[in-house]
Every structure is written in C-alpha cells, then in structure tokens.
Amino acid sequence: MATKFHVKRGDAVVVIAGSHKGKTGKILEILAAKSRARIEGVAMIKRHLKKSQEHPQGTIAEREGSVHISNLMLQATFDASKRKKPAPATA
C-alpha cells in the first residue's frame, strides 16, 4: 500500500527545519520509500561526471538532493500561520 503524505509533486513548499530552513521551492519528486522529496533549488549537491560524448572534459553538475517530508510545509499553510515573520512596517 502506498503511503500518503501531506504534500505532493508540484506543490509549493517551505523547509521549516534542518540546514535548509526557510528555503522555498516546488516539489519535483517524492521518494516514498525513504519519506523524502526533491525540491527545486533546495539542498543542491555536486555530481562529478566522467568524460563522455556530451562532456568531453568531464564536468561537475549540480542537482537537487532530498529533504525529509517532515521538514516541509505547504507554502499556503506557512503564509497563513504565525511562523511567517510579519513584514516590517514602513514609516
């Protein structure tokens, strides 16, 4: 049976805990077996690629790592909650 999460692919989310706290992005992929998700522009990791037809010199590619689902909150819920810092008043 597939596990059900509070977020799904395509949702805008905020990272509420961990080393990427405060970052926002869209969910690209859910890794259900590990209860993790890949978020656009969050938890970037460097991947060293060997020489190939596309990259004759080899290259260092950056791609998204994964963040645990428990550290994510929907953007709409976050904006409506008290967690969001109030905008500074302009005098």
Side-chain angles (χ1 to χ4, degrees):
M1 186 181 137
T3 53
K4 185 155 169 50
F5 299 115
H6 67 286
V7 292
K8 63 182 188 293
R9 199 169 82 218
D11 285 349
V13 292
V14 181
V15 180
I16 57 169
S19 58
H20 303 288
K21 184 176 179 175
K23 291 185 182 176
T24 61
K26 191 175 79 174
I27 295 183
L28 300 172
E29 180 184 12
I30 299 279
L31 307 169
K34 294 181 176 179
S35 298
R36 296 176 82 82
R38 290 193 204 284
I39 298 118
E40 194 172 47
V42 176
M44 298 303 284
I45 57 173
K46 290 185 181 336
R47 181 87 170 90
H48 296 257
L49 300 176
K50 287 169 62 173
K51 293 178 183 178
S52 66
Q53 290 282 323
E54 301 90 58
H55 308 288
Q57 293 298 310
T59 187
I60 300 173
E62 270 201 297
R63 56 185 290 242
E64 286 85 0
S66 62
V67 176
H68 198 272
I69 296 238
S70 66
N71 295 338
L72 302 177
M73 182 186 273
L74 285 170
Q75 179 87 51
T77 310
F78 181 80
D79 290 345
S81 73
K82 294 188 184 88
R83 286 176 176 271
K84 186 177 180 190
K85 295 178 179 71
T90 53

